[in-house]
Amino acid sequence: MIQLTRMNRTPVVVNADLIEFLEATPDTIVSLTTGKRLVVLETVAEIVAMVIAYRRACQEVGATTESEILKKKELAGRSRITI
């Protein structure tokens, strides 16, 4: 999920996997696979960077092994951080 800003400055969270294409006309239009279209303040380049960062984060979580999870839980127990 990525957070974008509508033209009226209200935030909207979008499922990055549903983005079909982006248009810069001069406003940025996000077209979703559902047929919906959003006009947002962010540029095409900013949205692309957000989607790349989101997908990288998803891959990192998916690539975590069981031993890494146990190690993180052990470290979290020491520092009082909940995972």
Side-chain angles (χ1 to χ4, degrees):
M1 305 290 271
I2 60 171
Q3 183 170 323
L4 301 174
T5 311
R6 293 181 189 263
M7 296 303 285
N8 64 1
R9 304 244 182 241
T10 58
V12 60
V13 178
V14 177
N15 183 339
D17 294 327
L18 295 181
I19 296 174
E20 187 172 13
F21 58 90
L22 304 168
E23 299 174 74
T25 65
D27 297 326
T28 305
I29 301 172
V30 180
S31 296
L32 305 177
T33 59
T34 61
K36 292 185 179 184
R37 299 174 81 191
L38 302 167
V39 181
V40 298
L41 294 175
E42 290 79 8
T43 66
V44 170
E46 290 171 329
I47 297 170
V48 169
M50 288 181 202
V51 171
I52 290 169
Y54 166 75
R55 295 219 172 131
R56 282 184 181 156
C58 289
Q59 288 178 348
E60 288 175 11
V61 170
T64 303
T65 64
E66 187 175 338
S67 62
E68 289 173 332
I69 292 170
L70 293 174
K71 187 175 182 179
K72 286 180 184 179
K73 284 184 178 181
E74 180 183 322
L75 291 173
R78 291 182 194 162
S79 62
R80 297 183 185 175
I81 297 173
T82 306
I83 294 181

